[in-house]
Amino acid sequence: MACLHCFLGFLLLAARLPLDAARRFHDVLSNERTSDYTREHSQLTGWSSDENEWNEKLYPVWRKEDPRWKNSWKGGHVQAILTSDSPALVGSTITFVVDLVFPRCQNEDVSGNIVYEKNCRNETDPSPDLYVYNWTEEGGWGNDHSQHHHHMFPDGKPFPHHPGWRRCSFVYVFHTLGQYLQKLGRGSARVSINTANVTLGPQLMEVIVYRRHHHVYVPIAKVKDVYVVTDHVPVFVTMYQKNDRNLSDETFLRDLPIMFSVLIHDPSHFLNESAINYKWNFGDNTGLFVSNNPTLNHTYVLNGTFSLNLTVQAAVPGPCPSPQPPEPTSPLSSPGDRLPELRATPEETCHINRYGYFKATITIVDGILEVNIIQMTDVVTPVPQPDKLLMDFVVTCQGIIPTEVCTIVSDPTCRISYNTVCDPVDVDTDDTCLLTVRRAFSGSGTYCMNLTLSDNTSLALTSTLVSVSARDPASPSRMANGALVSVGCLAVFVTVITLFVYNLDT
């Protein structure tokens, strides 16, 4: 009896050995999973269960601390960078991209070989060889497929022989949601997933990359990243206001319109056929604004702090769900009492409403609303200085009193700056914004002048062309009139120049 027990135990152990020895995809790609992990997620199109066996003979598996990693690549280490266009609205497509970063002075050529860059020196002396890895000369990618049993993925599936496949020397294995996808590629690989049946919330994507090495493959990099699938429309809002000095502090000026622009994160264009409405509440008791335009202007007329709320509603078209079968009727009911069964025809289209939300706290303060140059006059000095011609500019503004005035004097095209001068503004006792700004010019001619008034929260700008004449003490009035005449002629140009000069200034 004891011998029988020993024999049975030996049979059980022998039967169990292949299961213990066979490494599976989830053993290679992740240790953070439960036994029922695969059953918790729906099947991804084109992906396979990570319960499948991994061909460790063809694709060796190294632990993180394995010393063989140090020699997995000539001249250094390869870094894999994994990115995605997460977050993804459920039902849309999310795309993952893996880019390989080779050691310094190494690059991939058009044939898929890794070469040393010309005239590039790394930490060691330049290599006399042109190639880091010359897979074209290495061979093993012949036309007789029956003799090349290594042309397969870790699960034993053969490589797809698409045009140019012989120039692909890297094998990428993507792993998520208890499933994997194998891809043959070059220094970059891209994979997309439809998220219709993906569980909401954060998920983990892992990738391991192998390179060719004769008739086997060598691991060179592993990387992972978190992506998010959500049932809320990913919404971002940008806010812009003229004269606002800092657009990122959510502090804006009273009595000037703020332009709100809604950006919906939809890289796969899933919402292209959806009707989208934007519902705004600016928190200033002006009511609810509903629009189908992603851009809206709003002006706050009071100072204070306000809560901005935006709700985005997207009606996503899709197939109609199958109608529920009618409830069973009583045996006593007659055929005429039964309800007809409803069926959706293939042409019918239903909609699922998806919502996105944005909230912000906005502070409204007083600021400089407008600035104008109303007069330009020559300043006549007792001793003329041809290289220092002075002019006074009378400036008015609306809003609060500025604390600083700056001018940028440039050539007539407003492209080449000559000098920049900033001066503090003396605060007067009254509330009138009337300033006289004196500036020196290096000689006669036509100049572009950009003038700004600013305080801590606002910055107002105006631009004009200035005609400076040579000084003649005998006829000062004529020179002043010449400058004034140029003001009237310049009115046509101010609007065109203002935007251009403002861009140069910022």
Side-chain angles (χ1 to χ4, degrees):
M1 183 62 68
C3 294
L4 179 60
H5 288 168
C6 293
F7 180 71
L8 291 176
F10 175 78
L11 291 179
L12 291 174
L13 181 60
R16 186 179 173 186
L17 279 175
L19 296 177
D20 292 340
R23 194 181 292 267
R24 304 187 182 277
F25 272 74
H26 62 75
D27 298 324
V28 177
L29 294 164
S30 177
N31 295 321
E32 303 174 1
R33 65 191 300 278
T34 59
S35 59
D36 59 347
Y37 190 83
T38 305
R39 294 191 296 270
E40 296 175 1
H41 301 279
S42 300
Q43 177 67 38
L44 300 176
T45 303
W47 292 59
S48 304
S49 170
D50 63 5
E51 294 290 342
N52 290 346
E53 293 186 6
W54 177 283
N55 186 340
E56 191 172 0
K57 183 177 180 180
L58 195 58
Y59 292 85
V61 179
W62 300 344
R63 295 184 180 273
K64 184 178 181 180
E65 62 276 6
D66 196 308
R68 288 176 292 181
W69 282 105
K70 296 180 180 180
N71 299 317
S72 65
W73 190 269
K74 294 180 183 178
H77 297 282
V78 175
Q79 181 183 5
I81 299 177
L82 173 62
T83 58
S84 72
D85 49 21
S86 169
L89 178 63
V90 61
S92 68
T93 298
I94 184 171
T95 298
F96 301 87
V97 177
V98 178
D99 292 306
L100 298 182
V101 180
F102 303 110
R104 176 175 167 78
C105 298
Q106 298 184 15
N107 210 342
E108 187 179 32
D109 68 7
V110 294
S111 299
N113 299 311
I114 308 301
V115 298
Y116 290 104
E117 297 179 4
K118 295 181 179 180
N119 303 321
C120 179
R121 298 180 64 91
N122 55 16
E123 297 178 355
T124 61
D125 293 333
S127 173
D129 298 328
L130 175 62
Y131 292 96
V132 183
Y133 292 103
N134 188 353
W135 286 307
T136 302
E137 297 296 330
E138 181 180 293
W141 295 98
N143 296 321
D144 186 3
H145 306 315
S146 62
Q147 297 181 3
H148 300 286
H149 302 293
H150 59 284
H151 293 175
M152 62 178 62
F153 289 112
D155 65 355
K157 293 179 181 178
F159 289 161
H161 293 165
H162 52 74
W165 73 276
R166 290 183 177 86
R167 294 192 295 271
C168 298
S169 300
F170 299 98
V171 174
Y172 297 81
V173 183
F174 293 79
H175 178 247
T176 189
L177 306 175
Q179 300 163 66
Y180 68 89
L181 181 71
Q182 306 162 128
K183 195 174 183 69
L184 190 66
R186 298 182 58 176
S188 181
R190 179 186 298 263
V191 165
S192 297
I193 296 176
N194 185 279
T195 62
N197 297 318
V198 176
T199 304
L200 299 180
Q203 306 293 348
L204 184 66
M205 173 65 76
E206 302 168 284
V207 184
I208 186 169
V209 186
Y210 282 76
R211 68 168 174 86
R212 289 175 51 186
H213 182 64
H214 302 294
H215 292 171
V216 295
Y217 300 86
V218 175
I220 60 172
K222 294 181 72 173
V223 65
K224 59 184 177 181
D225 194 21
V226 174
Y227 63 97
V228 176
V229 178
T230 176
D231 57 355
H232 288 175
V233 178
V235 173
F236 306 91
V237 176
T238 62
M239 294 172 272
Y240 171 79
Q241 185 185 49
K242 178 185 176 182
N243 295 357
D244 182 25
R245 188 162 190 168
N246 186 354
L247 295 176
S248 63
D249 62 357
E250 297 187 344
T251 297
F252 298 93
L253 310 180
R254 179 169 62 91
D255 295 330
L256 281 181
I258 306 172
M259 183 175 68
F260 298 89
S261 298
V262 183
L263 304 175
I264 294 179
H265 181 70
D266 184 30
S268 66
H269 309 293
F270 176 64
L271 299 177
N272 274 12
E273 304 300 324
S274 302
I276 302 177
N277 290 319
Y278 306 87
K279 301 177 182 179
W280 298 89
N281 187 335
F282 295 99
D284 57 352
N285 296 323
T286 53
L288 184 67
F289 295 83
V290 181
S291 172
N292 59 4
N293 193 322
T295 300
L296 186 69
N297 291 337
H298 184 75
T299 302
Y300 287 89
V301 297
L302 297 175
N303 291 349
T305 301
F306 303 91
S307 296
L308 167 69
N309 286 274
L310 166 68
T311 300
V312 177
Q313 176 181 336
V316 183
C320 295
S322 301
Q324 296 294 328
E327 296 182 1
T329 57
S330 169
L332 299 178
S333 61
S334 62
D337 296 332
R338 296 180 181 178
L339 298 175
E341 181 178 350
L342 300 178
R343 296 181 181 274
T345 63
E347 292 78 13
E348 287 182 325
T349 300
C350 293
H351 293 83
I352 299 176
N353 287 328
R354 299 293 186 189
Y355 297 90
Y357 306 94
F358 176 83
K359 294 182 179 181
T361 300
I362 293 178
T363 301
I364 304 298
V365 298
D366 290 324
I368 305 167
L369 306 182
E370 187 177 348
V371 57
N372 292 288
I373 300 174
I374 62 173
Q375 188 178 16
M376 296 186 291
T377 58
D378 297 336
V379 177
V380 180
T381 59
V383 180
Q385 301 181 36
D387 59 345
K388 189 177 181 181
L389 304 178
L390 301 179
M391 293 195 69
D392 282 345
F393 301 86
V394 180
V395 179
T396 63
C397 66
Q398 297 180 12
I400 65 174
I401 304 298
T403 59
E404 186 180 55
V405 55
C406 293
T407 58
I408 300 177
V409 177
S410 309
D411 73 320
T413 66
C414 303
R415 295 184 179 184
I416 303 175
S417 176
Y418 295 150
N419 64 72
T420 301
V421 179
C422 292
D423 297 312
V425 175
D426 295 329
V427 179
D428 206 345
T429 55
D430 59 12
D431 294 334
T432 303
C433 180
L434 183 64
L435 309 174
T436 299
V437 180
R438 176 167 294 183
R439 289 293 182 260
F441 295 84
S442 59
S444 60
T446 301
Y447 299 87
C448 170
M449 192 178 77
N450 176 12
L451 184 145
T452 60
L453 300 180
S454 62
D455 66 352
N456 292 335
T457 58
S458 57
L459 185 149
L461 174 144
T462 188
S463 299
T464 186
L465 290 178
V466 181
S467 179
V468 179
S469 303
R471 298 295 189 260
D472 184 1
S475 56
S477 59
R478 184 179 62 83
M479 290 181 290
N481 289 338
L484 290 175
V485 169
S486 67
V487 176
C489 297
L490 290 172
V492 178
F493 301 98
V494 169
T495 303
V496 177
I497 297 174
T498 297
L499 179 60
F500 179 76
V501 176
Y502 178 77
N503 290 334
L504 290 177
D505 185 49
T506 55

